Amino acid sequence: MSSGSDADGMRQGAVPGPRGAELPLPPAAVPGGPQDGDIADGLEEAYWSVYDGAASKATVGQILARLPRIVRQIGQLAWNADRTSTVAVVVLQLASAAMMAFGLMASVAVLRELFAEGPTPDRVRAAIPQLLVVVGFLAARALLEAGVAVAQARVTPKIRTALECEFLTLTAHVRLEVVDDADWHDEAYRANDRGLFYARQIVGQVVSLAAALLGLVGTAGVLGVLHPALLPLLLLSVLPVGAAAVRSARARFHSFKRWNTLQRRVRVFSWLLLERDAAAELRSDTAQGALLEEHYGLTTRIAEEDTRLGVSSARLALAGRAVGGIGTGITYTALGAMLIAGWLPLAAGAGAVLAIQAAQSSLTRLVDVSHLVYEHAMWVDDLLAFQERCRTLQPRRSGLPAPETVKAITLDDVSFTYPGKDAPALNGISMTLRAGQTVAFVGVNGSGKSTCARLLAGLYEPQDGGTVCWDGVNVLDMDAESLQARVGCVLQDPVRFPFSALANLTVSRGTLTEADPQRALDAARASGAEQVIAGLPGRWDALLSKRFRGGQELSAGQWAKVAVARGLYKNAPVLLLDEPTASMDPRAEHAVYEAVLRDTPRPDQITVLISHRLASVVACDRIFVFDGGRVTESGTHQELMSIGGEYAAMFTLQAAGYRARAGETA
């Protein structure tokens, strides 16, 4: 029976799994995602959310201990960006705080005149000069705060610009093997998404923090002048308010962390419903209803969570106000006792009430901003640490410039292992490539062909003592970027630059705005891109991206021709073609190989072709067969066929497939 069942399965086209790994029957219903408990438990922490909610976990002592360092750090960034504006922010902010304190003192003088003995009109007239002084202080403070805003508006964009330019400069130039590291990618995107964003915001937050702190100090100073005994009353009044503000701030940060995580799950479904790449299959499977149902279920749960968090925040705010009210009541009771005992004039008591209210407002603001600054400073720290790391990962910018031409490139016992991998991608490769030769690298996927090509291009450096030499000079003694400028690379999946057609060629020589017209036309003709560009509205000026109004969209095969033209336009002494025609039709592929490899061979150029289509490498001067990171065979096509090894087996297999299809067609 068992054999019969297996046979039936095979006749029906089933693919049996390996014995010992049989899959049990699946359930009749399965949830689309986490159903019980916290939805956030079903998602891993995103790379960009590692510091979200940190302020809700930190103690007050930790926040206060770190604030001076944060202020110094942001002050240094501001100083480096614009010294004049930074000094203006500090001076004007101090002056603004002084105006607030003087205004409070002037308000006490107004109250003293109003509460003095005598007819009311006389008291009012006597208070007018002091009232004008209060107005003057308020006006001066308004002007000073406007000055702070202007100076801050000058320095903040400069900080962002400086950090962003440095970030992009460093990341764009790190060595290629660093970019292959997934952890580095996470750090880079986190620094870009969060670090740069909060670096722009944190300057204003530090200014607000300073304003709140100076306001608190100023009101304390006013109370000390009125009567030293008022200072303990200030603590009694503001500490309950501060405690409530701390609890409220932590609750908000915890709420944000939770809300942010919940939204990630919803965005998965939103993306699938809106994404262009998913649109065709989504409609073909008529899966819209299923996704919408899951989306609705999730948004309903999130709405319930939002309600719960809102109610909790309201209760916390009520409790905070109650506790704060008790503290304020005790303060005012003590203040009344001082007035009754004659320790304090009535006008000074009224001024003390104003100062205490201002202190409470400043403290609440101080707590809120402190939490923001504490958490956002972590992102800025992360950005600065990442930039410092990138400085250690830059290519060599010293040494000999790479030669304009090369007669021979020699690889001697070259090995290379990718970050995070145990098995080497290349293991003891040795070969010599000479000018005027067309060389082919062939082998199965993962055999080391592309890695070897990137070593030739100077994108990777040999490890474990191996050497790559250009005319006898070790590439490690050359400036890395000058070496890369001497190699033209055409890859299987080329970058689709959203530039003009002409700029898509000239970018290979490091410019988007300057071109050699004849070289561009020759490269387009040799690659087959001439007809592609000629058919575009605007031709050379046509924008190759639908992101722009009137932009053009090319097929994969057309992009491949543009990429080949880009590599040819570079006119480098070494040309690497890594599966450049994989997306072209047979006729276009044949035309490219005829033009690039056969019609116009350059005696001063080394051309390296990587291809799985072995018919394209038959005419190459030398063929290297890769397997497991080693070169197992090398020679001309005829030599390798006569050996009867791996190359002969692969070529015969491909040829047999073409013959079989030709026979079926006939």
Side-chain angles (χ1 to χ4, degrees):
M1 293 294 293
S2 176
S3 299
S5 298
D6 288 346
D8 290 341
M10 292 298 291
R11 282 194 296 270
Q12 294 171 10
V15 180
R19 295 192 180 277
E22 294 184 1
L23 189 65
L25 191 68
V30 62
Q35 299 296 305
D36 300 322
D38 187 356
I39 300 176
D41 292 340
L43 292 174
E44 293 184 3
E45 185 170 61
Y47 70 84
W48 40 260
S49 66
V50 293
Y51 298 129
D52 285 343
S56 65
K57 303 172 185 176
T59 65
V60 174
Q62 288 174 326
I63 293 176
L64 293 178
R66 196 161 181 268
L67 284 179
R69 175 177 173 270
I70 295 170
V71 172
R72 285 196 304 272
Q73 185 181 58
I74 302 306
Q76 186 63 51
L77 290 175
W79 181 259
N80 293 337
D82 188 333
R83 295 185 178 185
T84 302
S85 296
T86 301
V87 171
V89 167
V90 174
V91 172
L92 293 176
Q93 190 66 71
L94 288 172
S96 175
M99 291 302 104
M100 184 186 72
F102 293 153
L104 280 174
M105 293 299 296
S107 298
V108 172
V110 171
L111 293 172
R112 187 179 294 115
E113 295 294 343
L114 291 176
F115 293 153
E117 295 181 357
T120 299
D122 292 341
R123 283 182 289 161
V124 171
R125 281 192 291 271
I128 289 177
Q130 296 297 332
L131 186 60
L132 292 176
V133 172
V134 171
V135 171
F137 282 132
L138 292 176
R141 186 185 179 196
L143 289 174
L144 290 168
E145 289 181 346
V148 170
V150 170
Q152 181 183 328
R154 292 182 184 279
V155 72
T156 299
K158 292 180 180 179
I159 293 176
R160 167 71 186 227
T161 299
L163 286 174
E164 186 168 9
C165 289
E166 185 174 19
F167 170 81
L168 292 175
T169 299
L170 291 170
T171 54
H173 288 89
V174 295
R175 300 190 301 272
L176 183 60
E177 70 269 17
V178 177
V179 182
D180 291 329
D181 185 352
D183 290 337
W184 183 88
H185 258 289
D186 280 356
E187 291 180 21
Y189 281 104
R190 186 172 67 231
N192 182 62
D193 293 346
R194 299 286 175 153
L196 290 174
F197 176 76
Y198 289 122
R200 183 182 182 90
Q201 290 192 344
I202 200 168
V203 177
Q205 292 168 353
V206 168
V207 171
S208 296
L209 179 70
L213 181 60
L214 290 172
L216 190 61
V217 171
T219 53
V222 170
L223 289 174
V225 171
L226 293 176
H227 198 291
L230 291 174
L231 290 175
L233 291 181
L234 176 65
L235 292 176
L236 185 63
S237 174
V238 300
L239 286 181
V241 174
V246 168
R247 293 292 300 273
S248 179
R250 289 185 178 181
R252 283 197 301 275
F253 275 90
H254 178 73
S255 170
F256 173 75
K257 169 78 171 179
R258 186 178 180 83
W259 177 88
N260 208 9
T261 308
L262 292 170
Q263 289 294 328
R264 289 174 55 206
R265 177 73 178 162
V266 173
R267 282 196 290 267
V268 171
F269 291 92
S270 300
W271 172 80
L272 287 171
L273 290 165
L274 295 172
E275 179 60 29
R276 178 184 177 188
D277 292 341
E281 190 164 348
L282 189 69
R283 286 155 177 76
S284 173
D285 294 339
T286 61
Q288 303 98 315
L291 268 65
L292 287 167
E293 183 179 357
E294 187 71 14
H295 182 275
Y296 176 76
L298 286 167
T299 52
T300 300
R301 294 185 64 187
I302 291 173
E304 294 171 353
E305 177 67 17
D306 283 342
T307 300
R308 188 191 69 79
L309 290 170
V311 171
S312 176
S313 297
R315 290 174 177 170
L316 184 62
L318 179 61
R321 289 186 177 183
V323 174
I326 293 173
T328 302
I330 295 173
T331 300
Y332 288 165
T333 300
L335 187 60
M338 292 176 66
L339 291 171
I340 293 172
W343 292 1
L344 196 68
L346 184 60
V353 171
L354 294 176
I356 289 172
Q357 290 176 344
Q360 289 176 338
S361 176
S362 295
L363 182 63
T364 301
R365 179 61 179 161
L366 180 66
V367 170
D368 286 342
V369 178
S370 296
H371 279 74
L372 283 172
V373 170
Y374 177 83
E375 185 158 308
H376 294 173
M378 290 184 171
W379 296 108
V380 178
D381 275 348
D382 192 59
L383 168 65
L384 297 176
F386 176 76
Q387 289 184 335
E388 191 59 37
R389 180 188 173 194
C390 286
R391 290 188 185 94
T392 68
L393 301 173
Q394 298 295 296
R396 294 181 313 283
R397 290 192 171 91
S398 60
L400 301 170
E404 294 285 346
T405 61
V406 59
K407 295 179 180 179
I409 299 178
T410 303
L411 283 70
D412 183 22
D413 197 27
V414 169
S415 298
F416 184 83
T417 303
Y418 285 99
K421 300 290 186 181
D422 296 326
L426 290 180
N427 191 1
I429 297 291
S430 297
M431 64 176 64
T432 298
L433 312 179
R434 302 189 183 281
Q437 282 187 338
T438 299
V439 177
F441 292 171
V442 301
V444 298
N445 289 333
S447 60
K449 308 182 300 297
S450 295
T451 304
C452 187
R454 294 186 178 195
L455 275 158
L456 287 171
L459 299 174
Y460 295 150
E461 294 181 353
Q463 302 166 348
D464 302 327
T467 60
V468 177
C469 295
W470 282 42
D471 290 338
V473 179
N474 194 326
V475 296
L476 297 182
D477 296 328
M478 299 179 187
D479 176 83
E481 292 189 355
S482 73
L483 178 68
Q484 293 161 9
R486 303 290 184 262
V487 182
C489 291
V490 183
L491 306 179
Q492 179 177 352
D493 296 314
V495 178
R496 301 180 178 188
F497 289 107
F499 309 144
S500 69
L502 182 57
N504 262 274
L505 272 61
T506 64
V507 69
S508 66
R509 293 186 67 86
T511 178
L512 301 179
T513 57
E514 299 177 4
D516 182 324
Q518 189 60 52
R519 179 188 293 173
L521 182 59
D522 291 343
R525 284 175 176 169
S527 65
E530 180 182 20
Q531 295 302 316
V532 175
I533 298 173
L536 296 173
R539 298 184 178 180
W540 290 108
D541 294 332
L543 290 171
L544 304 186
S545 173
K546 281 292 188 180
R547 301 173 196 172
F548 301 101
R549 189 179 297 112
Q552 302 301 304
E553 185 170 334
L554 302 184
S555 68
Q558 291 172 324
W559 271 115
K561 294 176 183 178
V562 171
V564 173
R566 182 157 61 231
L568 296 177
Y569 180 85
K570 191 171 186 179
N571 197 32
V574 179
L575 177 63
L576 300 179
L577 305 169
D578 190 349
E579 293 283 352
T581 61
S583 56
M584 292 186 188
D585 59 76
R587 181 173 296 176
E589 178 184 32
H590 176 74
V592 167
Y593 284 135
E594 285 295 319
V596 176
L597 304 180
R598 299 179 182 89
D599 290 351
T600 56
R602 284 179 48 182
D604 61 339
Q605 187 177 66
I606 299 172
T607 302
V608 178
L609 171 63
I610 301 174
S611 180
H612 287 104
R613 301 178 187 178
L614 300 187
S616 60
V617 308
V618 170
C620 288
D621 299 305
R622 194 165 186 83
I623 301 169
F624 292 91
V625 182
F626 285 75
D627 186 19
R630 296 180 180 273
V631 173
T632 56
E633 301 171 14
S634 66
T636 65
H637 170 74
Q638 293 298 334
E639 290 170 347
L640 294 176
M641 291 299 293
S642 65
I643 293 173
E646 181 65 20
Y647 175 84
M650 291 189 296
F651 188 88
T652 302
L653 182 64
Q654 286 191 8
Y658 282 117
R659 285 196 296 268
R661 284 195 290 272
E664 291 170 3
T665 303

